Amino acid sequence: MFHCKLQVLIISSSSAWERAMSLALPPQRFEIEIKTCPELADRPLAKIDMLILDEPNQEDLPELRERCGSQTLLIVCTEASAQAPIWTTLCPLCDDIWRKPMPQPLITQAFQRWLDALKTKKELWLTNNYLESTINSIPDLVWFKDIRGVHVNVNDAFCHAVGKTKADVIGRGHYYIWDLKQEEYEKGEYVCLETEEMVLKARKTCLFDEKVKSKHGLRQFKTYKTPILDENGEPMGTVGIAHDVTDLENMGTEMAILLRSMPFSILVVNSDNVIINVNERFEDYFSVQAEEILGQNYSQWQAQVLPHLHGAEASEFREATIQDEKGERLLEIRKEPIYDIFMNLAGQLYIFRDITTQRQMEQQILFNSNTDFLTGLFNRRHFYEILAKERGDQRVSLIYVDLDYFKLLNDTQGHQAGDEALILTSDLLKQCFPDAVLTRLGGDEFLILYLGDWELNDLKQRSEIFLREMSEQFRSHSELPHLTASIGIAQTDDPQLSVDQLMQRSDQALYQAKQRGRDQICIYGAENGQPF
């Protein structure tokens, strides 16, 4: 939904900073513009997102900090020792300090961390914006409380009901907000004092009928309260949604309004399993008019319309796949019992929710977390997960691939050509090693994993085919005619040998291939029991 263009200004006589930072991967929906200038002069800084100063004048820092925008990140690069007095000035004025000399990988990594932090900050702002827009569009009262019962957020409808501004509500307790005396609140005459504790104890959404004395008189609410749990599963507060039912004439009217206001498709059956009500969203979901379905037996309707159900019939949640003019959709079906005033089962309420997009997003998030964005190959983290899960006592074979003179290609042809080379390489790996686990370790390094009884000669032959295919493919690209690769192969039958040790062996074989002139393959332990 958002797109950010970050402007990075480097004040340095060296271009090494810009080259190293250009290797960082821009976060999704981010565009980065990096410029290097030897001097700052009177250049405007208000719109600069990140200002990097290489050995700045200590006395100029306070003025520079004032010239920067409120959101500008200020990073100072210095060779000063930890005992130098300059740190007293640097620390309060800048957001980060990079100690020189700083190798290129550390510069890239540090810059990447800041990019990821900026992305997280942007997504946090966006999520908060989503929350505020959502709750303020709900006509019902919405509030969030911490574990002490203090309001931490409310919507506009809540402020209207209590006759106070949001600033006056946040940080306050119930009795102040609803203008109740402490004694009235503790007696629980106008609100059930125990409901918050009941919800926290039940650890699930609960529905209550509550009376509240508001600015508009005594009101009756149908209140949904849900516990909010922290990352350890412990309660940290509650969220409540209160629907004012004071003016509803009867339960039938109340049911109709609730059904219409629900954002989900809803169907209601009576104790005889006969369909007695549906809402408008249900009609849209299933392209049916209410009069066409009311009076039907629910089980018969379900067998006809939802033949592919997943999950036990007695379970609270089930899923169904349906096919219509909109394509294939996945529905979540939640069943809730309806009780009468004497707590006898009066029927069932079915909530149908289209979770197609949600499930696709979940799968996409899982895919993104396991794969490299540029090539689509597995990333290093997922490589370790696969090996830990599937290795067992099997033979492990690693083929380490590193492009030759890739940095020269980036420097002479640009990063776009470098990205194209990485994509072509990954496509060839998929073609030549279709039955292997393919991983991009980072940069121009790739790792091919085989588990099971694979012979070294077979792996070597496949690697040779890959090098030949690579030579032919790259020769047809004017920008990549001479790009080759070096390969190191290592194998073990010892389940006690760690994957890192085996990777070191394949890396040693790869280094030997580089030493022998590149564009070739070396096998660890292939000569006289030595590493090569």
Side-chain angles (χ1 to χ4, degrees):
M1 177 172 288
F2 69 87
H3 179 82
C4 289
K5 181 176 181 180
L6 295 178
Q7 297 190 35
V8 180
L9 178 60
I10 305 171
I11 306 303
S12 176
S13 58
S14 171
S15 61
W17 299 98
E18 181 173 342
R19 289 197 304 270
M21 291 164 64
S22 298
L23 297 176
L25 296 176
Q28 190 176 10
R29 295 187 294 274
F30 274 72
E31 179 183 350
I32 304 173
E33 179 182 292
I34 305 176
K35 292 183 179 180
T36 300
C37 296
E39 296 179 357
L40 185 59
D42 295 326
R43 180 184 295 269
L45 302 178
K47 295 185 179 180
I48 298 297
D49 298 292
M50 183 181 292
L51 178 62
I52 299 176
L53 304 174
D54 189 3
E55 293 294 349
N57 188 328
Q58 179 180 351
E59 298 177 356
D60 295 337
L61 282 177
E63 179 186 354
L64 286 176
R65 180 79 269 183
E66 292 182 2
R67 287 173 56 188
C68 293
S70 60
Q71 301 299 318
T72 302
L73 292 172
L74 181 60
I75 298 175
V76 171
C77 310
T78 180
E79 293 182 349
S81 66
Q83 291 78 26
I86 189 176
W87 296 99
T88 305
T89 303
L90 289 180
C91 292
L93 294 176
C94 59
D95 298 286
D96 201 359
I97 300 173
W98 293 355
R99 291 287 300 277
K100 297 165 49 180
M102 196 171 185
Q104 172 266 312
L106 291 184
I107 298 173
T108 305
Q109 184 184 52
F111 184 57
Q112 187 74 63
R113 285 201 186 103
W114 273 113
L115 292 179
D116 294 339
L118 289 171
K119 180 175 183 291
T120 300
K121 181 179 179 181
K122 187 67 176 180
E123 290 177 339
L124 177 62
W125 171 85
L126 189 62
T127 300
N128 186 65
N129 195 17
Y130 285 162
L131 174 64
E132 292 297 320
S133 299
T134 300
I135 65 174
N136 287 327
S137 66
I138 298 175
D140 295 333
L141 281 62
V142 180
W143 65 91
F144 297 83
K145 292 182 181 179
D146 64 18
I147 198 71
R148 301 168 300 164
V150 175
H151 292 73
V152 295
N153 200 2
V154 296
N155 68 345
D156 292 341
F158 187 98
C159 294
H160 174 74
V162 300
K164 293 180 173 64
T165 65
K166 183 176 291 191
D168 199 23
V169 169
I170 293 177
R172 298 284 192 166
H174 183 95
Y175 61 92
Y176 169 82
I177 292 172
W178 294 96
D179 293 324
L180 291 173
K181 295 180 180 179
Q182 182 74 22
E183 304 80 54
E184 292 178 297
Y185 181 73
E186 292 174 349
K187 290 178 182 177
E189 180 180 357
Y190 299 112
V191 63
C192 181
L193 186 60
E194 296 80 18
T195 56
E196 301 287 342
E197 295 181 2
M198 292 170 60
V199 171
L200 294 173
K201 184 177 180 180
R203 298 199 177 197
K204 65 178 183 179
T205 301
C206 299
L207 174 63
F208 303 100
D209 290 303
E210 295 184 339
K211 293 180 180 179
V212 177
K213 189 172 71 171
S214 72
K215 288 288 185 182
H216 311 288
L218 188 62
R219 310 300 293 177
Q220 178 75 30
F221 288 98
K222 287 284 186 182
T223 305
Y224 294 85
K225 295 184 178 181
T226 302
I228 302 175
L229 307 179
D230 63 18
E231 61 270 23
N232 298 316
E234 295 300 321
M236 58 184 292
T238 58
V239 55
I241 301 178
H243 181 68
D244 192 337
V245 296
T246 309
D247 300 328
L248 297 178
E249 295 181 0
N250 51 56
M251 289 300 293
T253 305
E254 179 182 347
M255 176 64 76
I257 292 177
L258 285 173
L259 290 180
R260 284 200 302 271
S261 65
M262 288 292 182
F264 309 118
S265 169
I266 295 177
L267 177 147
V268 183
V269 302
N270 62 16
S271 57
D272 296 323
N273 207 33
V274 173
I275 301 172
I276 60 172
N277 208 343
V278 296
N279 66 350
E280 294 177 2
R281 184 62 65 90
F282 181 93
E283 295 176 328
D284 294 338
Y285 260 43
F286 296 99
S287 300
V288 64
Q289 297 297 314
E291 54 269 20
E292 299 176 32
I293 192 174
L294 297 182
Q296 290 189 31
N297 180 275
Y298 175 76
S299 299
Q300 295 176 356
W301 173 85
Q302 175 186 284
Q304 180 181 357
V305 180
L306 304 171
H308 306 296
L309 278 172
H310 315 290
E313 185 174 354
S315 62
E316 182 181 353
F317 290 94
R318 303 183 75 184
E319 292 183 358
T321 303
I322 63 172
Q323 185 79 32
D324 55 22
E325 65 277 2
K326 300 178 182 177
E328 186 175 272
R329 291 184 293 157
L330 182 64
L331 296 183
E332 177 189 80
I333 306 171
R334 178 176 180 176
K335 180 172 67 173
E336 291 285 350
I338 300 173
Y339 299 100
D340 62 20
I341 193 172
F342 302 107
M343 294 305 295
N344 297 316
L345 185 64
Q348 300 281 354
L349 183 142
Y350 292 89
I351 302 174
F352 301 84
R353 189 165 67 93
D354 190 334
I355 60 172
T356 308
T357 302
Q358 174 184 328
R359 192 58 53 83
Q360 290 172 347
M361 290 180 64
E362 291 172 355
Q363 294 172 351
Q364 185 64 44
I365 290 172
L366 181 62
F367 176 81
N368 290 342
S369 68
N370 292 335
T371 57
D372 171 62
F373 175 76
L374 180 65
T375 63
L377 303 182
F378 290 132
N379 56 29
R380 181 188 291 265
R381 182 188 62 79
H382 194 53
F383 163 79
Y384 279 101
E385 287 182 351
I386 293 174
L387 203 56
K389 181 179 179 181
E390 301 183 9
R391 177 179 182 178
D393 295 328
Q394 298 183 83
R395 174 183 294 171
V396 182
S397 305
L398 293 182
I399 304 174
Y400 207 134
V401 180
D402 183 88
L403 301 185
D404 299 325
Y405 302 111
F406 181 74
K407 183 179 183 301
L408 179 61
L409 171 69
N410 267 337
D411 293 342
T412 57
Q413 303 293 335
H415 291 286
Q416 185 173 355
D419 288 348
E420 183 179 357
L422 294 173
I423 293 171
L424 283 172
T425 302
S426 65
D427 291 341
L428 285 173
L429 290 172
K430 296 172 186 175
Q431 174 184 326
C432 297
F433 304 94
D435 46 2
V437 176
L438 303 176
T439 302
R440 181 188 177 195
L441 294 179
D444 59 336
E445 296 180 333
F446 300 87
L447 199 61
I448 303 162
L449 167 67
Y450 279 100
L451 295 175
D453 298 327
W454 292 88
E455 298 297 332
L456 285 173
N457 285 337
D458 188 13
L459 301 179
K460 186 173 184 293
Q461 290 176 5
R462 291 182 177 221
S463 301
E464 291 171 346
I465 294 173
F466 166 74
L467 290 182
R468 289 199 300 271
E469 290 291 330
M470 183 177 181
S471 178
E472 294 178 6
Q473 289 284 340
F474 279 31
R475 195 179 299 118
S476 63
H477 288 75
S478 60
E479 296 180 345
L480 316 170
H482 305 299
L483 194 62
T484 59
S486 299
I487 295 178
I489 302 176
Q491 188 180 81
T492 184
D493 290 313
D494 182 5
Q496 301 303 318
L497 186 71
S498 72
V499 63
D500 290 328
Q501 291 174 306
L502 188 60
M503 286 178 66
Q504 289 177 0
R505 292 182 179 182
S506 64
D507 188 37
Q508 292 176 32
L510 173 66
Y511 177 77
Q512 185 69 10
K514 296 277 189 182
Q515 292 294 103
R516 292 180 178 180
R518 307 174 189 269
D519 192 22
Q520 56 183 282
I521 303 162
C522 283
I523 300 175
Y524 181 89
E527 297 181 5
N528 302 322
Q530 298 302 316
F532 311 98

